[in-house]
């Protein structure tokens, strides 16, 4: 009985305690739920151990409209049309990472949570966790493996943070954060969403930059054994990372743009779905990693009736542009930085040794262990390009002519009058040709048959831009060597077509043993140089006919003398370089038509008035000369200002024209330049997460006045300005500024090797050509010419940005930043080392 009594009493006590516990647990869960709801709305920035997923979610919060206005980078000088053409797009932004990486984090979270020994430890007060794992140290396939391992480690650290509720430190910080949230609620429920988004954007950018620079450091450590040098580079990287971070007031990045809210049109979504269905494959061709669709079309080349005029080296584009991806060379690594790259490159990036075997004795290129090294020599300057460059500027003028006037019969003395030019120098005087003036008067030159482009590479030290070109011929990969070294070069040939440049744009044209038969067929090829050479410009011919006396050389020299005289070119001087045992002849194109009008024979003939000298895309060569413009309002009648003043001066011949954006051309020009200076300085250099110290080769795929390139003038980069053939022909303006560029049709492949550029910039390009060609073919070409880890910056209509973003994701590219407002968008993506596993045979490109 006692036991039963006590049993009933204990039962009542147990029931009471149970009810109380249930109520307490219920209230606790309610409080926890409220806390979790509030903490998911506002996350204090002081918590530097936020997980990757939380950071991404917070970066997608929308800023209020009032704050977004302070990030507008519009200069206020450009019309509404200008904004549509190339204007800034103040509005919304999102910072995204690969979905694959996110899934990997979630899948590995539980496994990585308990593996503290494999996680990377950082001081949360001084360092930040990397959000996006860099895709490698740049070591080709091996590099990809290393990249994945690196990403796995980063994700492990992120997973640890995501599971950090079991960590006492995280709990303490959470309590502190909760207190902050309650404090904010007590102040009226206001939050700091704007500040949160801004700071998180900066956080992500800094992480991306740090990751990128750490990879470069790792590469340098692998390739450069000097520990001291590695330490110096590391310190430089840290300094660079701190310097290029954007502040909230400087960044163009605002808030996220999403497709879920109907920001994109139905048509864009349908196009996006269609593009997503594309299954990428690897191009299988005879050229392999060096495949160039318009130069490797053997199906057409085999059927050419003749190759006498190098027709087989010209463009023969396939009827259907390829949509496959060019494979990487085995062992490919991230390119060496400039200026070290001028002297050496990775062998496996351009694994060709034929030139080293054939031209090694002339110091073109040598194989040195895992590198290809470039001593700076050439056929005409085997002792170095710098000496040769100075030699050309210091050649003897020898301009005086000795003429016997008369004999004085009174005292039988002979008098000789020395007729000299305006400076009254004597024939024996040795002095410079001041009109060449590298980097001042002579800024933009054309180097014909450039070899590995050492001449152009060393001209950078004289502030000169050289457009170097050579064909894809038996001199294996010569242009590819140049591009890998960070030197401007394109593939082209003096054949049956005009060069893809406007008339009268180059200050100097140079040919050093370029193997072009200038004198044949009425001088047709030399007359093409006359077309692109600026009136008063110089043609430098350094070849054996200038200084050797073999019968063949003497014959060629005599033919060239007759031809250049009939073209009214003035032979300024002929001089021998004793160190290199070579010689050079320098000719000058006339400033006026006086000589043309005084010729006894119209040979070569003057071109018809209907022949446009600026027509250069797929135009057949003509053996004729165009008249020199003499009206002071015409382009070419006056020499440009000296460099660097010419960069910012409005061309004098734009006075009577209407600009691209609808205003007076001079006003248009100035507004465009101011606009791009703002965009580049406040957004591209600070808000993209790009380490510009690792950038060398840049292309503006749709240049207008060259404002983007001009805004980069203080960086150690060069910019290939491309003016599409269906856009306004503003390429002469670009050359007038001391920059260079080329015409091109983006529905076809560009005349360059794969993996040639570090950054591609496309301002309203894709939307402008979508009616002529498919986006997938243009993106495949972008992938071909962009280096792994290179960046693509796109400014375009919102629906086009959406389509490009979709294509980039299908290529496994990293979405660095996306941004949109009012139907306009901005996108920055990074190419990775990823290649598909399935091959697609290109029948036309297989020999």
């Amino acid at each position: 009985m006692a036991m039963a009594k006590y049993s009933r009493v204990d039962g009542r006590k147990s029931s009471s305690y149970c009810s109380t516990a249930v109520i307490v647990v219920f209230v606790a869960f309610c409080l926890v739920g409220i806390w979790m709801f509030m903490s998911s709305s506002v996350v204090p920035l002081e918590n530097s151990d936020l997980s990757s997923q939380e950071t991404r979610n917070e970066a997608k919060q929308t800023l209020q409209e009032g704050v977004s206005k302070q990030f507008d980078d519009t200069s206020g000088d450009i019309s509404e049309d200008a904004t549509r053409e190339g204007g800034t797009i103040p509005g919304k932004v999102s910072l995204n990472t690969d979905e694959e990486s996110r899934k990997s984090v979630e899948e590995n979270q539980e496994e990585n949570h308990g593996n503290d020994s494999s996680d990377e430890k950082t001081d949360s007060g001084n360092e930040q966790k990397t959000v996006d794992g860099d895709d490698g140290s740049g070591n080709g396939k091996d590099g990809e493996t290393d990249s994945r391992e690196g990403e796995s480690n980063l994700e492990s650290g992120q997973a640890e943070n995501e599971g950090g509720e079991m960590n006492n430190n995280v709990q303490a910080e959470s309590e502190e954060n909760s207190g902050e949230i309650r404090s904010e609620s007590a102040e009226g429920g206001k939050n700091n969403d704007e500040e949160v988004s801004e700071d998180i954007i900066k956080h992500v950018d800094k992480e991306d930059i740090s990751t990128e620079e750490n990879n470069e450091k790792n590469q340098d450590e692998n390739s450069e054994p000097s520990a001291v040098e590695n330490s110096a580079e590391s310190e430089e990287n840290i300094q660079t990372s701190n310097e290029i971070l954007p502040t909230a007031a400087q960044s163009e990045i605002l808030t996220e743009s999403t497709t879920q809210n109907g920001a994109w049109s139905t048509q864009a979504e349908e196009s996006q779905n269609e593009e997503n269905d594309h299954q990428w494959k690897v191009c299988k061709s005879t050229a392999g990693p060096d495949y160039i669709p318009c130069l490797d079309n053997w199906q057409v080349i085999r059927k050419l009736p003749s190759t006498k005029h190098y027709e087989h080296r010209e463009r023969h584009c396939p009827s259907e542009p390829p949509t496959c991806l060019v494979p990487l060379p085995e062992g490919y690594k991230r390119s060496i930085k400039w200026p070290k790259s001028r002297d050496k490159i990775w062998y496996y990036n351009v694994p060709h040794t034929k030139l080293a075997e054939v031209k090694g004795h002339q110091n073109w290129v040598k194989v040195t262990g895992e590198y290809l090294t470039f001593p700076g020599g050439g056929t005409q300057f085997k002792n170095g390009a710098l000496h040769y460059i100075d030699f050309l500027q210091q050649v003897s003028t020898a301009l005086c002519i000795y003429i016997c006037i008369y004999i004085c019969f009174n005292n039988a003395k002979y008098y000789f009058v020395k007729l000299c030019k305006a400076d009254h120098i004597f024939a024996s005087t040795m002095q410079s040709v001041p009109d060449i003036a590298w980097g001042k008067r002579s800024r933009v030159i054309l180097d014909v048959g450039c070899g590995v482009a050492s001449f152009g590479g060393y001209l950078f030290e004289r502030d000169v831009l050289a457009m170097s070109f050579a064909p894809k011929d038996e001199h294996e990969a010569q242009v590819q060597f140049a591009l890998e070294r960070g030197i401007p070069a394109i593939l082209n040939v003096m054949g049956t077509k005009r060069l893809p440049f406007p008339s009268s744009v180059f200050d100097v044209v140079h040919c050093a043993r370029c193997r072009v038969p200038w004198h044949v067929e009425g001088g047709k090829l030399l007359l093409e140089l006359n077309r692109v050479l600026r009136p008063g410009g110089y043609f430098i011919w350094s070849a054996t006919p200038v200084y050797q006396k073999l019968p063949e050389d003497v014959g060629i020299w005599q033919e060239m003398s007759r031809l250049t005289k009939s073209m009214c070119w003035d032979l300024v001087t002929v001089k021998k370089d004793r160190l290199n045992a070579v010689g050079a002849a320098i000719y000058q194109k006339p400033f006026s038509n006086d000589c043309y009008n005084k010729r006894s024979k119209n040979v070569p003939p003057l071109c018809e008035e209907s022949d446009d000298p600026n027509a250069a895309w797929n135009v057949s060569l003509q053996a004729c000369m165009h008249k020199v413009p003499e009206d002071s309002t015409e382009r070419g009648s006056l020499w440009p200002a000296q460099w660097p003043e010419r960069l910012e001066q409005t061309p004098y011949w734009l006075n009577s024209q209407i600009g691209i954006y609808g205003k007076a051309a001079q006003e248009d020009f100035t507004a465009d330049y101011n606009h791009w200076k703002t965009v580049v300085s406040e957004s591209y250099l600070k808000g993209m997460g790009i380490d510009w110290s690792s950038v060398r080769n840049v292309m503006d795929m749709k240049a207008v006045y060259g404002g983007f390139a001009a805004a980069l003038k203080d960086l150690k980069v060069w910019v290939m300005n491309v003016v599409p053939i269906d856009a306004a022909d503003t390429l002469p303006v670009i050359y007038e500024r001391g920059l260079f560029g080329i015409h091109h049709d983006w529905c076809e492949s560009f005349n360059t090797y794969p993996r040639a550029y570090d950054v591609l910039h496309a301002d309203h390009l894709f939307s402008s050509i979508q009616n002529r060609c498919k986006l997938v073919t243009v993106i495949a070409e972008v992938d071909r010419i962009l280096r792994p880890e290179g960046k693509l910056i796109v400014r375009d209509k919102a629906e086009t940005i959406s389509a490009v973003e979709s294509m980039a994701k299908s290529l496994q590219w990293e979405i660095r930043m996306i941004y949109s407002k009012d139907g306009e968008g901005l996108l920055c993506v990074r190419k990775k080392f990823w290649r598909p596993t399935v091959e697609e045979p290109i029948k036309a490109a297989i020999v």
Side-chain angles (χ1 to χ4, degrees), residues 172-234:
E173 291 177 357
S174 298
E175 293 173 359
E176 180 182 353
N177 294 340
S178 177
E180 292 178 3
I181 295 170
R182 288 193 295 270
S183 176
E184 290 172 357
S185 300
E187 292 175 2
K190 295 181 181 180
N191 59 55
N192 293 325
D193 286 350
E194 296 164 1
E195 295 177 7
V196 169
S197 297
E198 293 167 12
D199 287 350
I200 288 178
I201 289 164
K202 291 189 292 181
H203 173 79
V204 173
D205 284 342
K206 185 170 183 178
E207 289 167 343
D208 291 341
I209 297 167
S210 299
T211 301
E212 187 172 328
E213 291 178 346
N214 287 338
N215 284 335
E216 290 172 7
K217 176 186 173 184
N218 291 338
Q219 179 200 356
D220 291 338
E221 288 175 351
N222 292 332
S223 61
E224 303 292 341
S226 173
V228 175
E229 184 177 351
N230 290 335
S231 177
E233 289 182 358
S234 176

Side-chain angles (χ1 to χ4, degrees), residues 800-816:
T800 303
I801 291 292
S802 177
V804 174
E805 178 194 12
S806 175
M807 296 292 293
K809 288 180 177 178
S810 71
L811 287 164
Q812 310 299 317
W813 289 7
E814 176 188 330
I815 310 298
R816 302 300 293 269

Side-chain angles (χ1 to χ4, degrees), residues 79-368:
S79 64
E80 184 178 350
D81 292 338
T83 304
R84 286 196 296 268
E85 175 71 13
T88 60
I89 318 161
K92 298 182 178 181
V93 66
S94 65
L95 295 166
N96 301 322
T97 57
D98 292 333
E99 292 297 329
E100 182 178 354
S101 298
R102 297 183 185 180
K103 293 178 181 178
S104 178
V105 171
E106 295 172 357
E107 292 171 357
N108 296 326
Q109 176 180 353
E110 190 172 316
E111 177 184 351
N112 293 332
H113 172 65
N115 190 7
D116 292 340
S117 61
S118 64
D119 292 336
E120 183 179 347
K121 303 298 183 181
T122 59
D123 185 348
S124 63
N126 298 324
E127 298 179 10
Q128 302 183 36
K129 296 286 185 180
T130 301
V131 174
D132 298 321
D134 202 307
D135 58 349
S137 60
N139 295 327
K141 295 181 179 179
D142 295 335
E144 288 185 82
T145 303
D146 295 339
S147 297
R148 289 190 291 269
E149 292 175 357
E151 290 177 353
S152 177
N153 290 337
L154 292 173
E155 291 167 358
S156 299
Q158 295 166 354
E160 178 184 358
N161 285 337
E162 291 174 348
E165 292 181 0
M166 300 300 293
N167 184 288
N168 292 333
N169 293 333
V170 175
Q171 286 180 344
E173 291 177 357
S174 298
E175 293 173 359
E176 180 182 353
N177 294 340
S178 177
E180 292 178 3
I181 295 170
R182 288 193 295 270
S183 176
E184 290 172 357
S185 300
E187 292 175 2
K190 295 181 181 180
N191 59 55
N192 293 325
D193 286 350
E194 296 164 1
E195 295 177 7
V196 169
S197 297
E198 293 167 12
D199 287 350
I200 288 178
I201 289 164
K202 291 189 292 181
H203 173 79
V204 173
D205 284 342
K206 185 170 183 178
E207 289 167 343
D208 291 341
I209 297 167
S210 299
T211 301
E212 187 172 328
E213 291 178 346
N214 287 338
N215 284 335
E216 290 172 7
K217 176 186 173 184
N218 291 338
Q219 179 200 356
D220 291 338
E221 288 175 351
N222 292 332
S223 61
E224 303 292 341
S226 173
V228 175
E229 184 177 351
N230 290 335
S231 177
E233 289 182 358
S234 176
E235 293 176 2
E236 180 182 355
N237 286 340
I238 295 173
Q239 181 180 2
T240 303
S241 176
N242 293 332
E243 288 174 353
I244 67 176
L245 283 175
T247 62
Q250 292 171 330
S251 177
E252 183 187 61
I253 301 175
L254 301 179
T255 54
E256 178 192 12
S257 171
T258 63
T259 57
Q260 290 81 1
N261 297 329
W264 313 114
S265 66
T266 302
Q267 181 179 358
E269 292 174 355
E270 292 173 354
S271 300
Q272 176 178 331
N273 292 334
E274 180 181 353
E275 299 294 356
N276 272 334
D277 292 337
H278 184 77
Q279 299 297 319
W280 295 105
K281 299 179 181 179
V282 172
C283 302
K284 182 179 181 181
S285 65
T286 300
D290 300 335
Y291 175 48
I292 306 170
C294 289
L295 297 180
D296 292 322
N297 189 356
W298 290 99
Q299 194 172 49
V300 173
I301 293 174
R302 291 192 199 98
K303 299 177 181 179
L304 291 174
S306 172
T307 59
K308 178 182 178 182
H309 297 100
Y310 300 94
E311 291 90 344
H312 57 302
R313 307 297 186 196
E314 295 181 326
R315 292 174 61 84
H316 302 285
C317 299
S319 56
E320 288 293 330
T323 58
C324 52
L325 307 181
V326 176
L328 296 178
E330 186 176 354
Y332 181 87
K333 300 181 180 181
R334 175 185 291 183
S335 299
I336 295 173
K337 284 185 180 181
W338 180 269
K340 291 181 180 179
S341 62
R342 188 186 66 179
D343 302 325
K344 66 179 181 180
I345 63 174
W346 295 112
Y347 167 77
Y348 285 108
N349 285 14
V350 191
H352 300 291
T353 59
K354 184 175 180 180
L355 268 184
E357 298 166 1
V358 176
K359 296 291 186 178
H361 67 288
Q362 295 174 345
N363 288 329
W364 279 39
V365 57
K366 298 178 182 294
V367 179
T368 308

